[in-house]
């Protein structure tokens, strides 16, 4: 499969789009300005659904380029539209939120920002998922498309989305009329920086790219009492422990080995003191899958196991565990066949086959999925751009488990390579979608 791919790319190199060198040069010339923006965004991260400074900074830039800009779409989102004659409508999305993480990269422009989450918890804030590279690339691409207006025809809808990390932003923008108040897109594009690829390498998955993500809470209720008299209690810690162990069999014994699935208990809280048996224990789970069928099997299984173990422990009916699947969940992200295959060929011919790989799906989640799910007749692809500095990649022998992952306080992508590569990739993808007939 790979050989065939490289061959296709090699054949297509002979027909490199006209103006490729010019595009690379103009992006190179723009990089000092883009990197100034990047460092500013990195030093001033904002938590999900509380983005204010970021859209306010980008809006005038987009107006200057001739985009029609609307702010506060889906609370803090920004939509910038450029109509340039007949043709398809292309949506290019960047997410702009950061994470409650204390930065430890040691970068000179590292974040020192503290803020309060929607739940009221004060925290350090860091662009630990690299969304600052996405925002910068978004502007870089807008600048190129504005400068190259004579080379394309159609409409570009640039979306700066809030709240990706909570899985809320895309839905908030769609609910706020993204597809009715603005030109409805035919093609959807986004990229994400990658901690699993060397800097400047582009990865494209065909079909499923990222997983269904459900957050599940289990409130395990017992009967509290004195630690010395367990016979008078129903110990929720012992019961919750049994539930945690039994949950492991959902993936290992009930699910087909050919269907990807993850059930992780990420949080287990109970009790106050050595000699008190608590009356409840709280579990928090992340549940990952691709298909709706596997998702249902896992969620049904979690409810069944929690109840079954409580019955086995002799918990009374009115104290059965309460299982809550949080809404909204993040649905799996699907790269449509036609567009993802086209991009693999296009990127291969433009950058050379050594810079493009076909990637496997990952169990991470992305609410970019929502844009395609809102209308499945459209074409959609999210691609990866590697951010791991080459020397670090080589030192780790290409083993990404030895490197900081996305969301790590140490994640410091080689930002200039990510931004220049992604801007070039996004621009040629846009020019291809919007080519004059
Ligand atoms: Zn993230
Ligand atoms: Zn992200």
């Amino acid at each position: 499969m790979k050989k065939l791919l490289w061959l296709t790319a090699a054949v297509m190199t002979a027909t490199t789009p006209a103006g490729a060198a010019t595009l690379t040069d103009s992006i190179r010339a723009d990089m000092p300005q883009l990197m100034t923006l990047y460092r500013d965004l990195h030093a001033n991260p904002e938590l999900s659904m509380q983005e204010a400074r970021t859209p306010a900074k980008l809006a005038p830039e987009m107006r200057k380029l001739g985009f029609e800009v609307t702010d506060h779409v889906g609370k803090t989102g920004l939509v910038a539209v450029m109509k340039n004659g007949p043709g398809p409508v292309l949506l290019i999305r960047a997410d702009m939120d950061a994470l409650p993480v204390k930065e430890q990269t040691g970068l000179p422009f590292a974040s020192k920002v503290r803020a309060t989450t929607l739940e009221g918890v004060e925290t350090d804030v860091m662009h630990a998922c690299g969304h600052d590279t996405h925002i910068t690339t978004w502007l870089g691409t807008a600048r190129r498309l504005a400068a190259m207006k004579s080379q394309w025809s159609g409409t570009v809808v640039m979306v700066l989305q809030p709240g990706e990390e909570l899985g809320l932003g895309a839905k908030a923008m769609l609910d706020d009329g993204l597809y009715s108040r603005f030109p409805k897109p035919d093609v959807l594009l986004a990229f994400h920086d990658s901690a699993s690829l060397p800097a400047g390498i582009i990865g494209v998955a065909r079909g499923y790219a990222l997983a269904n993500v459900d957050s599940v809470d289990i409130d395990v209720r017992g009967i509290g009492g004195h630690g010395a008299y367990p016979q008078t209690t129903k110990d929720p810690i012992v019961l919750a422990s049994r539930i945690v162990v039994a949950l492991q069999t959902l993936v290992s014994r009930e699910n087909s080995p050919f269907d990807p699935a993850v059930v992780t208990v990420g949080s287990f809280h109970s009790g106050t003191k050595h000699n008190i048996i608590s009356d409840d224990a709280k579990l928090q789970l992340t549940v990952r899958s691709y298909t709706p069928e596997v998702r249902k099997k896992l969620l049904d299984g979690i409810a069944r196991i929690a109840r079954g173990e409580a019955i086995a422990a002799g918990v009374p009916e009115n104290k059965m565990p309460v299982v809550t699947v949080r809404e909204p969940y993040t649905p799996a992200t699907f790269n449509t066949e036609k567009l993802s295959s086209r991009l693999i060929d296009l990127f291969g011919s433009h950058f050379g086959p050594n810079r493009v790989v076909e990637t496997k799906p990952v169990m991470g989640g992305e609410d970019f999925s929502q844009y395609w799910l809102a209308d499945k007749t459209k074409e959609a692809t999210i691609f990866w751009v590697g951010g791991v500095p080459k020397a670090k990649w080589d030192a780790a022998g290409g083993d990404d488990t030895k490197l900081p992952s996305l969301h790590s306080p140490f994640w410091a992508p080689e930002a200039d390579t990510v931004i220049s590569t992604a801007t070039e990739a996004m621009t040629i993808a846009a020019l291809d979608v919007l080519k004059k007939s």
Side-chain angles (χ1 to χ4, degrees):
M1 179 56 102
K2 253 194 183 150
K3 277 224 169 96
L4 186 66
L5 176 72
W6 298 156
L7 186 65
T8 317
V11 169
M12 292 202 56
T13 311
T15 56
T16 298
T22 337
L23 175 62
T24 314
D25 292 344
S26 354
I27 292 169
R28 193 172 295 140
D30 202 14
M31 280 309 291
Q33 271 196 43
L34 290 176
M35 286 304 291
T36 303
L37 171 69
Y38 167 75
R39 288 186 207 101
D40 177 80
L41 294 170
H42 190 85
N44 295 283
E46 297 179 293
L47 287 172
S48 305
M49 303 312 288
Q50 300 185 56
E51 306 86 348
R53 185 183 182 275
T54 309
K57 196 171 174 72
L58 274 290
E61 296 289 332
M62 297 300 277
R63 282 197 187 99
K64 245 188 277 168
L65 295 172
F67 283 82
E68 214 175 288
V69 177
T70 310
D71 56 13
H72 292 97
V73 182
K75 200 172 173 195
T76 62
L78 198 72
V79 180
V81 178
M82 183 175 278
K83 292 179 183 157
N84 186 32
V89 178
L90 169 65
L91 182 149
I92 299 176
R93 172 273 212 170
D95 42 4
M96 60 174 161
D97 53 335
L99 286 156
V101 170
K102 185 174 171 57
E103 178 157 1
Q104 292 174 56
T105 59
L107 289 169
F109 50 93
S111 162
K112 294 182 185 69
V113 169
R114 286 182 66 77
T116 307
T117 66
L118 293 179
E119 283 96 25
V121 179
E122 206 197 320
T123 174
D124 295 282
V125 188
M126 174 191 175
H127 263 301
C129 206
H131 295 181
D132 42 1
T133 65
H134 305 179
I135 306 161
T136 311
T137 296
W138 186 83
L139 180 65
T141 305
R143 284 195 184 153
R144 296 285 55 84
L145 292 176
M148 298 167 85
K149 263 179 109 169
S150 63
Q151 295 178 44
W152 56 275
S153 184
T155 298
V156 180
V157 180
M158 306 281 303
V159 169
L160 199 54
Q161 182 209 298
E164 189 282 325
E165 297 291 356
L166 297 179
L168 297 175
K171 199 154 182 314
M173 293 192 81
L174 287 162
D175 289 348
D176 199 9
L178 182 63
Y179 284 2
S180 54
R181 289 164 57 195
F182 306 95
K184 191 173 173 188
D186 303 298
V187 180
L188 312 161
L189 279 177
F191 97 98
H192 204 297
D193 69 322
S194 170
S196 305
L197 287 172
I201 301 294
I202 301 173
V204 187
R206 284 200 260 204
Y208 282 117
L210 294 114
N212 288 317
V213 179
D214 279 283
S215 297
V216 179
D217 300 307
I218 308 180
D219 186 9
V220 179
R221 298 173 305 163
I223 296 169
H226 198 300
Y229 312 106
Q231 73 277 17
T232 66
T233 71
K234 293 289 176 202
D235 187 342
I237 291 185
V238 175
L239 170 53
S241 302
R242 281 185 185 169
I243 292 173
V244 171
V245 172
L247 288 174
Q248 309 308 311
T249 61
L250 273 175
V251 174
S252 69
R253 304 291 83 179
E254 292 191 36
N255 183 61
S256 160
F258 295 99
D259 291 326
V262 174
V263 176
T264 293
V265 180
S267 157
F268 186 142
H269 284 273
S270 182
T272 53
K273 195 175 181 296
H274 306 69
N275 61 353
I276 297 173
I277 291 174
S278 171
D279 60 2
D280 97 330
K282 289 190 177 356
L283 303 177
Q284 294 187 320
L285 287 64
T286 187
V287 181
R288 313 269 168 146
S289 57
Y290 285 109
T291 66
E293 295 76 23
V294 173
R295 174 174 181 255
K296 184 172 184 327
K297 181 185 282 187
L298 296 177
L299 295 178
D300 289 352
I302 290 166
R304 189 193 73 235
I305 284 171
R307 181 174 167 79
E309 290 295 338
I311 291 170
V315 168
E317 189 59 35
N318 66 353
K319 294 219 183 247
M320 283 293 131
V322 178
V323 178
T324 310
V325 180
R326 290 205 193 178
E327 292 283 344
Y329 82 105
T330 300
T333 308
F334 192 79
N335 285 345
T336 54
E337 176 60 34
K338 202 172 124 198
L339 183 62
S340 53
S341 300
R342 174 68 193 138
L343 290 183
I344 290 171
D345 287 347
L346 183 72
F347 294 157
S349 69
H350 185 86
F351 292 98
N354 295 337
R355 297 242 338 245
V356 184
V357 289
E358 192 175 332
T359 43
K360 293 198 172 110
V362 296
M363 296 311 282
E366 242 298 340
D367 73 355
F368 179 66
S369 56
Q370 300 280 10
Y371 299 105
W372 180 71
L373 287 169
D375 184 347
K376 289 196 198 175
T377 64
K378 308 308 178 189
E379 291 288 328
T381 292
I382 184 166
F383 58 90
W384 299 100
V385 175
V388 183
K390 179 85 170 64
K392 286 193 179 160
W393 180 264
D394 290 344
D399 178 356
D400 66 359
T401 62
K402 294 182 179 149
L403 295 161
S405 61
L406 297 178
H407 292 198
S408 156
F410 299 100
W411 173 235
E414 194 174 287
D416 53 346
T417 307
V418 173
I419 291 162
S420 59
T421 304
T423 301
E424 192 161 350
M426 197 60 89
T427 306
I428 61 161
L431 292 174
D432 189 67
V433 170
L434 302 168
K435 63 174 162 281
K436 286 182 163 174
S437 47

